[in-house]
């Protein structure tokens, strides 16, 4: 049997949090569903740029192409991305995330065909809307707070959904279609939320590491527990040991990289200073196949290399859930995420319609008996969530201050 008073209290907070979160959740579900197909959307445009129309003679050496790019580009390239054949443009990239810029070079003529800046793309704007509501750091924190409260909505929703007396298929696992519009939308919300609750939690676990407060907190946990990347995963922590007059040709490094038989797309990080290294790495949907190899820029010898087995457990979890969040494991993952985004939009909209179709006397917020006291288990769960999700904890603190401040004001007036 459920505690009726606790059920009313949780239901009250479920409704309040749901109404506040609703517009943001709708935006997140739409933009998330769209961004899943970023590569599909951009592929035709990039294919036109990437394809060499006229192939004449022999291509320039990669070393020569690198020299050409350094002269013609205002920004020195950080890496070269290997192509599968010789009828594609050579790609040199610089910067990361919002500052990333990819330059397409004709390997036969040495002409720059195009320069694509990440921040200029339409999908970048979709991502910014999804991650920060186009409001910068402030927007990121709003999205993070909504994500924290979505976890609370899932937990409270499951408790409220749980049958009071006995189980039945209709209204619990199936949607009632012939018992009025309000019951239909109520069931559509509750049943959809139940069936997708685990997937929604997994998506949230993949999204939260990108946020500001939780993201920094998670990085701190990795650091103190030594469960992140190995120190020598980053090229900045590895240095060339042998010093010569000239570095080995980029063509030789590319030959070494191709011999490694890495899965996915191969990237070669380019050195700036004499102490820097060539870094061979790969981008691949499944993070289990990640590898990184640091090569001495003068001898070409491997200084250190790492793979999935060298990554700490917290970082492994982060990489897996982030890949799952983005649908990187293949078509099944992408379409499962799309289905979940549609489900999130559906359950959110149906919740609002169920609320709108109620008997419209007052706000329709469930009432809680005045003598109700929150139990130790619930308080313990709130404290645990507050420790794990700092922004949620801050919001709870503000609610408590506001609640008791309101009570004190009422007592003074009376």
């Amino acid at each position: 049997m459920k505690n009726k008073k606790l059920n009313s209290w949780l239901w009250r907070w479920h409704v309040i949090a749901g109404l506040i979160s609703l517009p943001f959740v709708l935006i997140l579900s739409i933009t998330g569903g769209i961004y899943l197909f970023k590569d599909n959307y951009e592929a035709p445009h990039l294919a036109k740029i990437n394809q060499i129309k006229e192939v004449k003679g022999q291509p320039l050496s990669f070393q020569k192409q690198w020299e050409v790019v350094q002269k013609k580009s205002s920004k020195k390239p950080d890496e070269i991305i290997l192509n599968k054949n010789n009828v594609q443009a050579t790609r040199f990239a610089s910067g990361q995330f919002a500052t990333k810029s990819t330059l397409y070079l004709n390997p036969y003529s040495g002409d720059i065909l195009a320069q694509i800046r990440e921040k200029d793309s339409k999908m970048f704007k979709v991502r910014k809307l999804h991650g920060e509501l186009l409001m910068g750091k402030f927007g990121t924190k709003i999205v993070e707070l909504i994500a924290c409260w979505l976890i609370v909505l899932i937990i409270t929703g499951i408790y409220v959904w749980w049958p009071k007396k006995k189980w039945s298929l209709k209204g619990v696992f199936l949607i009632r279609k012939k018992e009025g519009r309000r019951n239909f939308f109520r069931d559509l919300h509750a049943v959809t939320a139940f069936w997708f609750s685990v997937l929604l939690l997994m998506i949230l676990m993949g999204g939260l590491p990108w946020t500001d407060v939780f993201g920094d907190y998670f990085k701190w946990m990795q650091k103190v527990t030594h469960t992140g990347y190995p120190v020598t995963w980053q090229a900045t922590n590895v240095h060339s040991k042998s010093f010569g007059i000239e570095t080995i040709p980029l063509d030789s490094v590319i030959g070494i990289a191709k011999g490694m038989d890495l899965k996915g797309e191969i990237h070669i990080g380019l050195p700036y200073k004499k102490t820097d290294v060539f870094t061979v790495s790969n981008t691949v949907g499944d993070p289990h196949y990640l590898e990184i190899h640091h090569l001495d820029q003068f001898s070409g010898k491997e200084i250190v290399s790492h793979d999935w087995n060298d990554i700490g457990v917290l970082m492994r979890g982060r990489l897996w859930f982030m890949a799952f969040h983005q649908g990187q494991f293949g078509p099944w993952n992408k379409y499962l995420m799309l289905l979940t985004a549609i489900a999130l939009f559906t359950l959110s909209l149906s919740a609002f319609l169920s609320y709108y179709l109620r008997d419209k006397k007052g706000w329709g917020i469930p009432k809680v008996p005045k003598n109700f006291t929150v139990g130790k288990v619930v308080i313990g769960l709130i404290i645990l969530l507050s420790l794990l999700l700092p922004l949620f904890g801050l919001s709870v603190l503000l609610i408590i201050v506001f609640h008791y401040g309101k009570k004190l004001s009422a007592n003074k007036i009376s």
Side-chain angles (χ1 to χ4, degrees), residues 23-95:
F24 303 103
V25 174
L26 292 176
I27 291 170
L28 292 175
S29 58
I30 293 168
T31 53
I34 293 171
Y35 196 75
L36 283 168
F37 296 90
K38 174 184 183 290
D39 293 340
N40 305 69
Y41 174 77
E42 294 178 342
H45 174 62
L46 295 177
K48 287 179 183 177
I49 297 171
N50 205 24
Q51 196 71 25
I52 303 298
K53 294 176 183 177
E54 255 186 84
V55 177
K56 289 183 179 180
Q58 293 297 314
L60 301 171
S61 68
F62 287 106
Q63 180 69 30
K64 183 64 179 174
Q65 291 179 55
W66 182 17
E67 290 168 7
V68 169
V69 170
Q70 289 183 87
K71 288 177 183 177
K72 291 187 175 182
S73 177
S74 58
K75 229 178 183 183
K76 282 189 176 182
D78 297 329
E79 63 177 10
I80 182 173
I81 304 149
L82 302 193
N83 289 323
K84 294 178 181 178
N85 55 60
N86 290 333
V87 294
Q88 291 181 324
T90 305
R91 289 172 291 163
F92 288 90
S94 61

Coordinates of all heavy atoms in Angstrom, one line a residue, residues 23-95:
P23 N 8.2 23.9 -21.1 CA 8.7 24.5 -22.4 C 10.1 24.1 -22.7 O 10.5 23.9 -23.9 CB 8.5 26.0 -22.1 CG 8.5 26.1 -20.6 CD 7.8 24.9 -20.1
F24 N 11.0 24.0 -21.7 CA 12.4 23.6 -21.9 C 12.5 22.2 -22.4 O 13.3 21.9 -23.3 CB 13.2 23.8 -20.6 CG 13.1 25.2 -20.1 CD1 12.3 25.5 -19.0 CD2 13.8 26.2 -20.7 CE1 12.2 26.8 -18.5 CE2 13.7 27.5 -20.2 CZ 12.9 27.8 -19.1
V25 N 11.7 21.3 -21.8 CA 11.8 19.9 -22.2 C 11.3 19.7 -23.7 O 11.9 18.9 -24.4 CB 10.9 19.0 -21.3 CG1 10.8 17.6 -21.8 CG2 11.5 19.0 -19.9
L26 N 10.3 20.5 -24.1 CA 9.8 20.4 -25.5 C 11.0 20.8 -26.4 O 11.2 20.2 -27.5 CB 8.6 21.3 -25.7 CG 7.3 20.8 -25.0 CD1 6.2 21.8 -25.1 CD2 6.9 19.4 -25.5
I27 N 11.7 21.9 -26.0 CA 12.8 22.4 -26.9 C 13.9 21.4 -26.9 O 14.4 21.1 -28.0 CB 13.3 23.8 -26.3 CG1 12.3 24.9 -26.5 CG2 14.6 24.1 -27.0 CD1 12.6 26.2 -25.8
L28 N 14.2 20.8 -25.8 CA 15.3 19.8 -25.7 C 15.0 18.6 -26.6 O 15.9 18.0 -27.2 CB 15.6 19.4 -24.3 CG 16.2 20.5 -23.4 CD1 16.3 20.0 -22.0 CD2 17.6 20.9 -23.9
S29 N 13.8 18.1 -26.5 CA 13.4 16.9 -27.2 C 13.4 17.2 -28.7 O 13.9 16.3 -29.5 CB 12.0 16.4 -26.8 OG 11.0 17.4 -27.0
I30 N 12.9 18.3 -29.2 CA 12.9 18.7 -30.6 C 14.4 18.8 -31.1 O 14.7 18.2 -32.2 CB 12.1 19.9 -30.9 CG1 10.6 19.7 -30.6 CG2 12.3 20.4 -32.3 CD1 9.8 21.0 -30.5
T31 N 15.1 19.7 -30.5 CA 16.5 19.9 -30.9 C 17.4 18.7 -30.9 O 18.2 18.5 -31.7 CB 17.2 21.1 -30.1 OG1 17.1 20.8 -28.7 CG2 16.5 22.4 -30.4
G32 N 17.2 17.9 -29.8 CA 18.0 16.6 -29.7 C 17.7 15.7 -30.8 O 18.6 15.0 -31.4
G33 N 16.4 15.5 -31.1 CA 16.0 14.7 -32.2 C 16.6 15.1 -33.6 O 17.0 14.3 -34.4
I34 N 16.6 16.4 -33.8 CA 17.2 17.0 -35.0 C 18.7 16.8 -35.1 O 19.2 16.3 -36.1 CB 16.8 18.5 -35.2 CG1 15.3 18.7 -35.3 CG2 17.6 19.1 -36.3 CD1 14.9 20.2 -35.3
Y35 N 19.4 17.0 -34.0 CA 20.8 17.0 -34.0 C 21.4 15.6 -34.2 O 22.5 15.4 -34.6 CB 21.4 17.6 -32.7 CG 22.9 17.9 -32.8 CD1 23.3 19.0 -33.5 CD2 23.8 17.1 -32.2 CE1 24.6 19.3 -33.6 CE2 25.2 17.4 -32.3 CZ 25.6 18.5 -33.0 OH 26.9 18.8 -33.1
L36 N 20.6 14.6 -33.9 CA 21.0 13.2 -34.1 C 21.4 13.0 -35.6 O 22.2 12.1 -35.9 CB 19.8 12.2 -33.8 CG 19.6 11.9 -32.3 CD1 18.2 11.2 -32.1 CD2 20.7 11.1 -31.7
F37 N 20.7 13.8 -36.5 CA 21.0 13.6 -37.9 C 21.9 14.6 -38.5 O 21.8 15.0 -39.7 CB 19.6 13.5 -38.6 CG 18.8 12.3 -38.2 CD1 17.9 12.5 -37.1 CD2 18.9 11.1 -38.8 CE1 17.2 11.4 -36.7 CE2 18.2 10.0 -38.4 CZ 17.3 10.1 -37.3
K38 N 22.8 15.2 -37.7 CA 23.7 16.2 -38.1 C 24.5 15.7 -39.3 O 24.7 16.4 -40.3 CB 24.7 16.5 -37.0 CG 25.8 17.5 -37.3 CD 26.7 17.7 -36.1 CE 27.8 18.7 -36.4 NZ 28.8 18.2 -37.4
D39 N 25.1 14.5 -39.2 CA 26.0 14.0 -40.3 C 25.2 13.7 -41.5 O 25.7 14.0 -42.6 CB 26.6 12.7 -39.8 CG 27.7 12.9 -38.7 OD1 28.1 14.1 -38.5 OD2 28.0 11.9 -38.0
N40 N 24.0 13.2 -41.4 CA 23.1 13.0 -42.6 C 22.8 14.3 -43.3 O 22.8 14.4 -44.5 CB 21.8 12.3 -42.2 CG 22.1 11.0 -41.4 OD1 22.5 11.0 -40.3 ND2 21.7 9.9 -42.0
Y41 N 22.5 15.3 -42.5 CA 22.2 16.6 -43.1 C 23.4 17.3 -43.8 O 23.2 17.9 -44.9 CB 21.7 17.6 -42.0 CG 21.4 19.0 -42.4 CD1 20.3 19.3 -43.1 CD2 22.3 20.0 -42.1 CE1 20.0 20.6 -43.5 CE2 22.1 21.3 -42.5 CZ 20.9 21.6 -43.2 OH 20.7 22.9 -43.6
E42 N 24.6 17.2 -43.2 CA 25.7 17.9 -43.7 C 26.5 17.1 -44.8 O 27.2 17.7 -45.6 CB 26.7 18.2 -42.6 CG 26.1 19.2 -41.6 CD 27.1 19.5 -40.4 OE1 28.0 18.7 -40.2 OE2 26.9 20.5 -39.8
A43 N 26.2 15.8 -44.9 CA 27.0 14.9 -45.8 C 26.9 15.3 -47.2 O 28.0 15.4 -47.9 CB 26.5 13.5 -45.6
P44 N 25.7 15.6 -47.8 CA 25.7 16.0 -49.2 C 26.5 17.3 -49.6 O 27.2 17.3 -50.6 CB 24.2 16.2 -49.5 CG 23.5 15.5 -48.4 CD 24.4 15.6 -47.2
H45 N 26.4 18.3 -48.7 CA 27.2 19.5 -48.9 C 28.7 19.3 -48.8 O 29.5 19.7 -49.7 CB 26.7 20.5 -47.9 CG 27.5 21.8 -47.9 ND1 27.6 22.6 -49.0 CD2 28.4 22.4 -47.0 CE1 28.4 23.7 -48.8 NE2 28.9 23.5 -47.6
L46 N 29.1 18.5 -47.8 CA 30.5 18.2 -47.6 C 31.1 17.3 -48.7 O 32.3 17.5 -49.1 CB 30.8 17.6 -46.2 CG 30.5 18.5 -45.0 CD1 30.7 17.7 -43.7 CD2 31.3 19.8 -45.0
A47 N 30.2 16.4 -49.2 CA 30.7 15.5 -50.3 C 31.0 16.3 -51.6 O 32.0 16.0 -52.3 CB 29.6 14.5 -50.6
K48 N 30.3 17.4 -51.8 CA 30.6 18.2 -53.0 C 31.9 18.9 -52.9 O 32.7 19.0 -53.8 CB 29.4 19.2 -53.2 CG 28.1 18.7 -53.7 CD 27.1 19.7 -53.8 CE 25.7 19.2 -54.3 NZ 24.7 20.2 -54.3
I49 N 32.2 19.4 -51.7 CA 33.4 20.1 -51.4 C 34.6 19.1 -51.5 O 35.7 19.4 -52.0 CB 33.4 20.8 -50.1 CG1 32.3 21.9 -50.1 CG2 34.8 21.5 -49.7 CD1 32.1 22.5 -48.7
N50 N 34.4 18.0 -50.9 CA 35.4 17.0 -50.7 C 35.9 16.3 -52.0 O 37.0 15.8 -52.1 CB 34.9 15.9 -49.6 CG 36.1 15.3 -48.9 OD1 37.2 15.8 -48.8 ND2 35.9 14.1 -48.4
Q51 N 35.0 16.2 -52.9 CA 35.3 15.5 -54.2 C 36.1 16.3 -55.1 O 35.7 17.4 -55.5 CB 34.0 15.0 -54.8 CG 34.1 14.0 -55.9 CD 34.4 12.6 -55.3 OE1 34.1 12.3 -54.1 NE2 35.1 11.8 -56.0
I52 N 37.2 15.8 -55.6 CA 38.1 16.4 -56.6 C 37.5 16.2 -58.0 O 37.4 15.0 -58.4 CB 39.5 15.9 -56.5 CG1 40.1 16.1 -55.1 CG2 40.4 16.6 -57.5 CD1 40.2 17.5 -54.6
K53 N 37.2 17.2 -58.7 CA 36.5 17.1 -60.0 C 37.5 16.7 -61.1 O 37.3 15.9 -61.9 CB 35.8 18.4 -60.4 CG 34.7 18.7 -59.5 CD 34.1 20.1 -59.8 CE 32.9 20.4 -58.8 NZ 32.4 21.8 -59.1
E54 N 38.7 17.3 -61.0 CA 39.7 17.0 -62.0 C 41.0 16.5 -61.4 O 41.6 17.1 -60.6 CB 40.1 18.3 -62.8 CG 39.5 18.4 -64.2 CD 40.0 19.6 -65.0 OE1 41.1 19.5 -65.6 OE2 39.3 20.6 -64.9
V55 N 41.4 15.2 -61.7 CA 42.6 14.6 -61.2 C 43.6 14.7 -62.3 O 43.5 14.0 -63.3 CB 42.3 13.2 -60.7 CG1 43.6 12.5 -60.3 CG2 41.2 13.1 -59.7
K56 N 44.7 15.5 -62.0 CA 45.8 15.6 -63.0 C 47.1 15.3 -62.4 O 47.5 15.9 -61.4 CB 45.8 17.0 -63.6 CG 44.6 17.3 -64.5 CD 44.8 18.7 -65.1 CE 43.6 19.0 -66.1 NZ 43.7 20.4 -66.6
G57 N 47.8 14.4 -63.0 CA 49.2 14.1 -62.5 C 49.2 13.4 -61.1 O 48.2 12.8 -60.7
Q58 N 50.3 13.6 -60.4 CA 50.4 13.0 -59.1 C 50.1 14.0 -58.0 O 50.4 15.2 -58.2 CB 51.9 12.5 -58.9 CG 52.2 11.3 -59.8 CD 51.4 10.1 -59.4 OE1 51.2 9.8 -58.3 NE2 50.9 9.5 -60.5
P59 N 49.5 13.6 -56.9 CA 49.2 14.6 -55.8 C 50.5 15.0 -55.1 O 51.5 14.3 -55.1 CB 48.4 13.8 -54.8 CG 48.7 12.3 -55.1 CD 49.1 12.2 -56.6
L60 N 50.4 16.2 -54.6 CA 51.6 16.7 -53.8 C 51.8 15.8 -52.6 O 50.8 15.2 -52.1 CB 51.3 18.2 -53.3 CG 51.0 19.2 -54.4 CD1 50.5 20.5 -53.7 CD2 52.2 19.5 -55.2
S61 N 53.0 15.8 -52.1 CA 53.3 15.0 -50.9 C 52.5 15.7 -49.7 O 52.2 16.9 -49.8 CB 54.8 15.0 -50.6 OG 55.2 16.3 -50.2
F62 N 52.2 14.9 -48.7 CA 51.5 15.4 -47.5 C 52.3 16.5 -46.8 O 51.8 17.4 -46.3 CB 51.1 14.3 -46.6 CG 50.0 13.4 -47.1 CD1 50.2 12.1 -47.5 CD2 48.7 13.9 -47.1 CE1 49.2 11.3 -48.0 CE2 47.6 13.1 -47.6 CZ 47.9 11.8 -48.0
Q63 N 53.6 16.3 -46.9 CA 54.5 17.3 -46.2 C 54.4 18.6 -47.0 O 54.3 19.7 -46.3 CB 56.0 16.8 -46.3 CG 57.0 17.7 -45.7 CD 56.9 17.8 -44.2 OE1 56.5 16.9 -43.5 NE2 57.2 19.0 -43.7
K64 N 54.4 18.5 -48.3 CA 54.2 19.8 -49.1 C 52.9 20.4 -48.9 O 52.7 21.6 -48.8 CB 54.4 19.4 -50.6 CG 54.3 20.6 -51.5 CD 55.5 21.6 -51.3 CE 55.4 22.8 -52.2 NZ 56.5 23.8 -51.9
Q65 N 51.8 19.6 -48.8 CA 50.4 20.1 -48.5 C 50.4 20.8 -47.2 O 49.8 21.9 -47.1 CB 49.4 19.0 -48.6 CG 49.2 18.4 -50.0 CD 48.2 17.2 -49.9 OE1 47.1 17.4 -49.5 NE2 48.6 16.1 -50.4
W66 N 51.1 20.3 -46.2 CA 51.1 20.9 -44.9 C 51.8 22.2 -44.9 O 51.3 23.2 -44.4 CB 51.8 19.9 -43.9 CG 51.9 20.4 -42.5 CD1 51.2 21.4 -41.9 CD2 52.8 19.9 -41.5 NE1 51.6 21.5 -40.6 CE2 52.6 20.6 -40.3 CE3 53.8 18.9 -41.5 CZ2 53.3 20.4 -39.1 CZ3 54.5 18.7 -40.3 CH2 54.3 19.4 -39.2
E67 N 52.9 22.3 -45.7 CA 53.6 23.6 -45.9 C 52.7 24.6 -46.6 O 52.8 25.8 -46.2 CB 54.9 23.3 -46.7 CG 55.9 22.5 -45.9 CD 57.1 22.0 -46.7 OE1 57.1 22.4 -47.9 OE2 57.9 21.3 -46.2
V68 N 52.0 24.2 -47.6 CA 51.1 25.1 -48.4 C 50.0 25.7 -47.4 O 49.8 26.9 -47.5 CB 50.4 24.3 -49.5 CG1 49.3 25.2 -50.1 CG2 51.5 24.0 -50.6
V69 N 49.4 24.8 -46.6 CA 48.4 25.2 -45.7 C 48.9 26.2 -44.7 O 48.3 27.2 -44.3 CB 47.7 24.0 -45.0 CG1 46.8 24.5 -43.8 CG2 46.9 23.2 -46.0
Q70 N 50.1 26.0 -44.2 CA 50.7 26.9 -43.2 C 51.0 28.3 -43.8 O 50.9 29.3 -43.1 CB 52.0 26.3 -42.7 CG 51.8 25.1 -41.8 CD 53.1 24.6 -41.2 OE1 53.6 25.1 -40.2 NE2 53.7 23.6 -41.9
K71 N 51.2 28.3 -45.1 CA 51.5 29.6 -45.8 C 50.2 30.3 -46.1 O 50.0 31.5 -46.0 CB 52.3 29.4 -47.1 CG 53.7 29.0 -46.8 CD 54.4 28.8 -48.2 CE 55.9 28.3 -47.9 NZ 56.5 28.0 -49.2
K72 N 49.2 29.5 -46.6 CA 47.9 30.1 -47.1 C 46.9 30.4 -46.0 O 46.0 31.2 -46.2 CB 47.3 29.2 -48.2 CG 48.1 29.2 -49.5 CD 47.4 28.4 -50.6 CE 48.1 28.5 -51.9 NZ 47.4 27.8 -53.0
S73 N 46.9 29.7 -44.9 CA 45.9 29.8 -43.9 C 46.4 30.8 -42.8 O 47.6 30.8 -42.5 CB 45.6 28.4 -43.3 OG 44.7 28.6 -42.2
S74 N 45.4 31.5 -42.3 CA 45.8 32.5 -41.2 C 46.0 31.7 -39.9 O 46.6 32.3 -39.0 CB 44.6 33.5 -41.0 OG 43.4 32.8 -40.7
K75 N 45.5 30.5 -39.8 CA 45.7 29.7 -38.6 C 46.5 28.5 -38.9 O 46.2 27.7 -39.8 CB 44.3 29.4 -38.0 CG 44.1 29.6 -36.6 CD 42.7 29.3 -36.1 CE 42.5 29.6 -34.7 NZ 41.2 29.2 -34.2
K76 N 47.5 28.2 -38.1 CA 48.2 26.9 -38.3 C 47.4 25.7 -38.0 O 46.7 25.7 -37.0 CB 49.5 26.9 -37.4 CG 50.6 27.8 -37.9 CD 51.9 27.6 -37.1 CE 53.0 28.4 -37.7 NZ 54.3 28.1 -36.9
P77 N 47.4 24.7 -38.8 CA 46.5 23.5 -38.6 C 47.0 22.7 -37.3 O 48.2 22.6 -37.1 CB 46.7 22.7 -39.8 CG 48.0 23.1 -40.4 CD 48.2 24.5 -40.0
D78 N 46.1 22.2 -36.6 CA 46.4 21.3 -35.5 C 46.5 19.9 -35.9 O 47.2 19.1 -35.2 CB 45.3 21.4 -34.4 CG 45.1 22.8 -33.8 OD1 46.2 23.5 -33.8 OD2 44.0 23.2 -33.4
E79 N 45.8 19.5 -36.9 CA 45.7 18.1 -37.3 C 45.4 17.9 -38.8 O 44.8 18.8 -39.4 CB 44.7 17.3 -36.5 CG 43.3 17.8 -36.6 CD 42.3 16.9 -35.8 OE1 42.7 16.1 -35.0 OE2 41.1 17.1 -36.1
I80 N 45.7 16.8 -39.3 CA 45.3 16.4 -40.6 C 44.4 15.1 -40.5 O 44.7 14.3 -39.6 CB 46.5 16.0 -41.5 CG1 46.1 15.7 -43.0 CG2 47.4 15.0 -41.0 CD1 47.2 15.5 -44.0
I81 N 43.3 15.1 -41.3 CA 42.4 14.0 -41.2 C 42.5 13.1 -42.5 O 42.4 13.7 -43.6 CB 40.9 14.5 -41.1 CG1 40.8 15.4 -39.9 CG2 39.9 13.4 -41.0 CD1 39.8 16.5 -40.0
L82 N 42.8 11.9 -42.3 CA 43.1 11.0 -43.5 C 41.9 10.6 -44.2 O 40.8 10.3 -43.7 CB 43.9 9.8 -43.0 CG 45.2 9.9 -42.2 CD1 45.9 8.6 -42.1 CD2 46.0 11.0 -42.9
N83 N 42.0 10.6 -45.6 CA 40.9 10.2 -46.5 C 41.1 8.8 -46.9 O 42.2 8.2 -46.8 CB 40.9 11.1 -47.7 CG 40.4 12.5 -47.4 OD1 39.5 12.7 -46.5 ND2 41.0 13.5 -48.0
K84 N 40.1 8.2 -47.5 CA 40.1 6.8 -47.9 C 40.7 6.7 -49.3 O 41.2 5.6 -49.7 CB 38.7 6.2 -47.9 CG 38.2 6.1 -46.5 CD 36.8 5.6 -46.4 CE 36.2 5.5 -45.0 NZ 34.8 5.0 -45.0
N85 N 40.7 7.7 -50.1 CA 41.3 7.6 -51.5 C 41.9 9.0 -51.9 O 41.8 10.0 -51.2 CB 40.2 7.2 -52.5 CG 39.0 8.1 -52.4 OD1 39.1 9.3 -52.7 ND2 37.8 7.5 -52.1
N86 N 42.5 8.9 -53.1 CA 43.2 10.1 -53.7 C 42.3 11.1 -54.5 O 42.8 12.0 -55.0 CB 44.3 9.7 -54.5 CG 45.4 9.0 -53.7 OD1 45.6 9.3 -52.6 ND2 46.2 8.1 -54.4
V87 N 41.0 10.8 -54.6 CA 40.1 11.7 -55.3 C 39.3 12.6 -54.3 O 38.3 13.2 -54.7 CB 39.2 10.9 -56.2 CG1 39.9 10.3 -57.3 CG2 38.3 10.0 -55.5
Q88 N 39.8 12.7 -53.1 CA 39.1 13.5 -52.1 C 40.1 14.6 -51.7 O 41.3 14.4 -51.7 CB 38.7 12.7 -50.9 CG 37.5 11.7 -51.2 CD 37.2 11.0 -49.9 OE1 38.0 10.6 -49.1 NE2 35.9 10.7 -49.8
A89 N 39.5 15.7 -51.2 CA 40.4 16.8 -50.7 C 41.1 16.4 -49.4 O 40.5 15.6 -48.7 CB 39.5 18.1 -50.5
T90 N 42.2 17.0 -49.2 CA 42.9 16.8 -47.9 C 42.4 17.7 -46.9 O 42.2 18.9 -47.2 CB 44.4 17.0 -48.1 OG1 44.9 16.1 -49.1 CG2 45.2 16.6 -46.8
R91 N 42.0 17.2 -45.7 CA 41.4 18.1 -44.7 C 42.4 18.4 -43.6 O 43.0 17.5 -43.0 CB 40.2 17.4 -44.1 CG 39.0 17.3 -45.0 CD 37.9 16.4 -44.4 NE 38.3 15.0 -44.4 CZ 37.7 14.1 -43.6 NH1 36.7 14.5 -42.8 NH2 38.1 12.8 -43.7
F92 N 42.6 19.6 -43.3 CA 43.4 20.1 -42.2 C 42.5 20.9 -41.2 O 41.6 21.7 -41.7 CB 44.5 21.1 -42.6 CG 45.6 20.4 -43.4 CD1 45.5 20.3 -44.8 CD2 46.7 19.9 -42.7 CE1 46.6 19.6 -45.5 CE2 47.8 19.3 -43.4 CZ 47.7 19.2 -44.8
A93 N 42.6 20.6 -39.9 CA 41.7 21.2 -39.0 C 42.4 21.9 -37.9 O 43.6 21.6 -37.6 CB 40.8 20.1 -38.3
S94 N 41.8 23.0 -37.4 CA 42.4 23.7 -36.3 C 41.3 24.1 -35.3 O 40.1 24.2 -35.6 CB 43.1 25.0 -36.8 OG 42.1 25.8 -37.4
G95 N 41.6 24.2 -34.0 CA 40.7 24.6 -33.0 C 39.8 23.4 -32.6 O 39.9 22.3 -33.1

